[in-house]
């Protein structure tokens, strides 16, 4: 709502990055927010900085959007807060304290956005966000770790053009996806003059296979005097790309006019998408009479059979039956494990009764996987021991498609 009335919302990516990918929760997962990760003062990515991507239903969001310094930063101490903190800003200085976190990085970006707004009062949230992302310093990490890179506010002053949207999010594609055309806008920030842009090809890296790829986008676009906006497009043939998540960028050279003689700056537009195997899963039937609650939130797991250790997360669902889900994964062979808890109690990971399903799946598949809840296998065991004994790991993204929600 704040974004819709003209305010750029700047939020932290969170400090769960040590757990791996897909560790950005709300509010950092908000689609329109400018989400900030953390670096140290030497431009090294902080290991705790929340990592993307963010999945929502059939969408993939490229988060974080930028990074900024957030390790051992000096801040004013409020009363006796952090009185036992072992890192002081200065010797015998008891009124400041050095802290770290993406919440320490976020104010840098908020301040930069405010200064940029004062320089360009007519810019809205989209323009401010694009300017900070597309002029950020590339730290050599993929877009799900650094977004556009570490902010470089001085480069955002005097821009002659911007690309909207600020990041090219091409989506979450099924393994059978074919060609799709994408269109983006080119903003002339000073319509009293013409501006020319030279769009370069998009360079990509598959972060699962570590292979490099490219998308043809090379073209020139002239935006004439008294015109505030132009557009361009490119086409991606997803059928030629291997399974996996892709990170990349589209360089855009901006010229002082349409003669293309004098280049004034270069924008770097982040690009992100995934091409995954997908599996539809349906729950049918009535569960056993003593299974008061059917848990699919954090209790429905997509698990590998080949020892890969890549974690994915999914959001919470309501409690009812007759669910349909879609699972997305980059792995060809997986075990699908689901469970019900008996006795109507929330799990405490003590000895409790479970009804569960375990099914091997090899992709690609054309038919849905159906679990009849009346045929669940019964065990009585510590749930953590079940997963450990089978040596299974989270390796997929799960989305529920019968009860859509928005945020």
């Amino acid at each position: 709502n704040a974004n819709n009335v003209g305010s750029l919302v700047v939020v932290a990516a969170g400090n769960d990055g040590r757990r791996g990918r897909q560790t950005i929760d709300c509010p950092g997962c908000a689609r329109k927010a400018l989400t900030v990760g953390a670096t140290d003062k030497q431009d090294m990515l902080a290991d705790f900085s929340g990592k993307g991507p963010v999945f929502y239903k059939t969408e993939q969001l490229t988060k974080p959007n930028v990074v900024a310094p957030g390790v051992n930063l000096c801040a004013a101490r409020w009363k006796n807060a952090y009185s036992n903190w072992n890192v002081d800003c200065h010797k015998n200085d008891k009124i400041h304290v050095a802290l770290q976190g993406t919440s320490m990085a976020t104010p840098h970006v908020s301040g930069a956005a405010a200064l940029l707004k004062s320089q360009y009062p007519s810019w809205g949230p989209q323009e401010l966000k694009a300017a900070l992302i597309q002029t950020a310093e590339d730290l050599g990490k993929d877009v799900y770790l650094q977004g556009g890179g570490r902010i470089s506010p001085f480069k955002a002053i005097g821009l002659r053009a911007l690309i909207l949207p600020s990041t090219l999010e091409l989506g979450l594609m099924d393994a059978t996806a074919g060609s799709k055309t994408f269109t983006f806008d080119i903003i002339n920030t000073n319509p009293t003059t013409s501006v020319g842009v030279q769009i370069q090809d998009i360079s990509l890296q598959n972060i699962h296979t570590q292979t490099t790829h490219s998308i043809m986008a090379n073209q020139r676009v002239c935006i004439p005097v008294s015109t505030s906006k132009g557009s361009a497009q490119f086409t991606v043939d997803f059928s030629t790309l291997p399974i996996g998540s892709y990170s990349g960028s589209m360089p855009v050279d901006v010229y002082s006019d349409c003669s293309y003689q004098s280049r004034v700056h270069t924008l770097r537009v982040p690009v992100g998408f995934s091409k995954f195997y997908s599996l539809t899963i349906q729950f049918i039937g009535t569960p056993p009479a003593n299974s008061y609650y059917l848990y699919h939130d954090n209790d429905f797991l997509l698990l590998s059979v080949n020892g890969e250790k890549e974690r994915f997360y999914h959001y919470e669902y309501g409690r009812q039956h007759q669910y349909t889900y879609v699972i997305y994964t980059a792995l060809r062979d997986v075990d699908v494990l689901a469970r019900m808890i008996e006795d109507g109690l929330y799990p405490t990971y003590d000895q409790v009764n479970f009804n569960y399903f375990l099914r091997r799946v090899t992709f690609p598949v054309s038919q849905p996987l159906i679990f009849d809840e009346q045929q669940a296998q019964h065990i009585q065991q510590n749930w953590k021991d079940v997963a450990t004994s089978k040596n299974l790991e989270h390796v997929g993204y799960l989305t529920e498609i019968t009860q859509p929600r928005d945020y």
Side-chain angles (χ1 to χ4, degrees):
N1 291 336
N3 188 282
N4 293 337
V5 297
S7 297
L8 176 63
V9 179
V10 184
V11 298
N15 302 325
D16 290 331
R18 293 188 181 100
R19 293 195 288 124
R21 303 271 182 180
Q22 294 176 248
T23 47
I24 298 176
D25 294 321
C26 290
C29 61
R31 184 182 292 102
K32 295 180 180 179
L34 180 56
T35 303
V36 183
T39 63
D40 64 18
K41 297 173 185 178
Q42 287 73 46
D43 271 349
M44 299 296 292
L45 188 72
D47 63 349
F48 58 78
S49 186
K51 299 174 177 62
V54 169
F55 291 111
Y56 180 66
K57 298 180 182 176
T58 57
E59 287 185 79
Q60 175 178 306
L61 304 181
T62 303
K63 297 286 184 174
N65 299 118
V66 293
V67 293
V71 176
N72 291 338
L73 296 184
C74 189
R77 187 196 304 269
W78 182 74
K79 293 186 176 180
N80 293 322
Y82 299 98
S83 58
N84 296 323
W85 200 252
N86 60 4
V87 180
D88 287 326
C89 292
H90 307 286
K91 188 176 182 180
N92 299 322
D93 179 358
K94 299 303 180 185
I95 62 174
H96 296 87
V97 63
L99 301 174
Q100 65 182 22
T102 54
S103 292
M104 298 299 287
T106 302
H108 291 287
V109 182
S110 298
L115 292 172
L116 200 56
K117 178 70 172 179
S118 69
Q119 186 75 14
Y120 301 102
S122 64
W123 283 9
Q126 292 186 82
E127 289 81 6
L128 295 171
K129 185 177 179 181
L132 290 171
I133 292 174
Q134 293 166 15
T135 60
E137 188 73 21
D138 183 10
L139 304 183
K141 303 295 184 181
D142 68 61
V143 295
Y144 310 118
L145 303 179
Q146 69 166 24
R150 191 256 301 139
I151 61 165
S152 185
F154 287 116
K155 291 183 180 179
I157 301 295
L159 294 180
R160 289 297 318 281
L162 290 169
I163 303 300
L164 294 182
S166 56
T167 299
L168 298 178
E169 295 172 320
L170 308 190
L172 176 59
M173 298 296 166
D174 183 82
T176 61
S179 294
K180 186 174 181 180
T181 297
F182 299 89
T183 301
F184 57 90
D185 291 332
I186 306 161
I187 306 301
N188 182 355
T189 61
N190 183 11
T192 62
T193 65
S194 65
V195 64
V197 299
Q198 172 70 62
I199 300 162
Q200 307 291 345
D201 288 341
I202 298 170
S203 59
L204 296 170
Q205 182 181 40
N206 184 316
I207 63 175
H208 287 86
T209 64
Q210 296 299 303
T211 53
T212 58
H213 307 267
S214 64
I215 297 171
M216 291 184 62
N218 193 295
Q219 58 193 291
R220 283 181 172 179
V221 179
C222 173
I223 305 177
V225 175
S226 302
T227 305
S228 60
K229 184 172 68 173
S231 65
Q233 63 183 28
F234 59 89
T235 299
V236 183
D237 185 358
F238 291 101
S239 67
T240 65
L241 297 173
I243 294 292
S245 291
Y246 287 83
S247 164
S249 64
M250 182 181 73
V252 179
D253 295 325
V254 180
Y255 292 82
S256 58
D257 55 40
C258 293
S259 69
Y260 297 95
Q261 298 299 309
S262 177
R263 187 178 67 181
V264 291
H265 59 79
T266 298
L267 304 172
R268 197 173 55 83
V269 185
V271 180
F273 66 93
S274 291
K275 176 184 174 181
F276 283 167
Y277 296 115
S278 65
L279 171 68
T280 298
I281 298 178
Q282 296 176 348
F283 284 84
I284 65 173
T286 303
N290 59 344
S291 295
Y292 298 105
Y293 292 102
L294 177 63
Y295 285 85
H296 294 300
D297 50 307
N298 295 321
D299 299 326
F300 187 105
L301 307 176
L302 175 64
L303 301 156
S304 78
V305 295
N306 59 3
E308 293 195 25
K309 302 295 184 181
E310 184 174 358
R311 296 196 66 178
F312 286 74
Y313 291 84
H314 55 82
Y315 57 83
E316 182 176 348
Y317 312 104
R319 301 184 189 100
Q320 68 174 41
H321 311 300
Q322 305 296 331
Y323 277 85
T324 300
Y325 296 92
V326 177
I327 281 178
Y328 296 92
T329 180
L331 298 181
R332 180 176 289 274
D333 298 299
V334 297
D335 275 351
V336 179
L337 179 63
R339 59 130 172 187
M340 291 182 292
I341 294 180
E342 295 184 3
D343 303 325
L345 299 175
Y346 287 90
T348 61
Y349 296 114
D350 295 325
Q351 291 294 109
V352 292
N353 292 317
F354 292 100
N355 292 311
Y356 80 100
F357 308 90
L358 181 62
R359 200 78 55 82
R360 171 74 60 84
V361 176
T362 298
F363 292 102
V365 295
S366 58
Q367 300 295 323
L369 181 61
I370 297 176
F371 288 125
D372 186 339
E373 294 174 358
Q374 288 186 320
Q375 297 178 7
Q377 302 176 56
H378 180 81
I379 57 173
Q380 185 179 49
Q381 190 177 7
N382 181 298
W383 175 246
K384 289 183 178 179
D385 291 341
V386 176
T388 302
S389 65
K390 297 182 181 301
N391 193 27
L392 302 173
E393 296 287 335
H394 297 261
V395 293
Y397 160 62
L398 172 68
T399 178
E400 178 263 324
I401 62 173
T402 57
Q403 289 188 328
R405 309 188 298 185
D406 208 345
Y407 64 95

